[in-house]
Amino acid sequence: MLPPLPDVHCRYIGEWTATKLRWNLAVDQTESEALEVYAETCETTVVHYNPAP
């Protein structure tokens, strides 16, 4: 579920994705599809992450 304020949706999605990438966490099909749909509205969001040691 996304935060209630629409203004932070893109930031939330970016941070969620960065966390998944950083820790090499699995993403199931449903989650992947939802992230893709939400990310379509976040054209200027860039995901930055450092892989966990």
Side-chain angles (χ1 to χ4, degrees), residues 28-44:
D28 66 23
Q29 185 67 30
T30 302
E31 181 182 13
S32 177
E33 290 171 359
L35 286 170
E36 287 179 20
V37 168
Y38 288 124
E40 288 178 2
T41 64
C42 302
E43 295 175 0
T44 61

Side-chain angles (χ1 to χ4, degrees), residues 7 9 11 23 28-29 33 37-38 46 49:
D7 292 351
H9 286 183
R11 178 178 173 187
W23 297 101
D28 66 23
Q29 185 67 30
E33 290 171 359
V37 168
Y38 288 124
V46 177
Y49 73 97

Side-chain angles (χ1 to χ4, degrees), residues 4-25:
L5 297 174
D7 292 351
V8 298
H9 286 183
C10 291
R11 178 178 173 187
Y12 182 84
I13 292 165
E15 290 180 8
W16 181 277
T17 303
T19 300
K20 289 285 196 166
L21 292 168
R22 174 174 168 73
W23 297 101
N24 197 30
L25 300 173

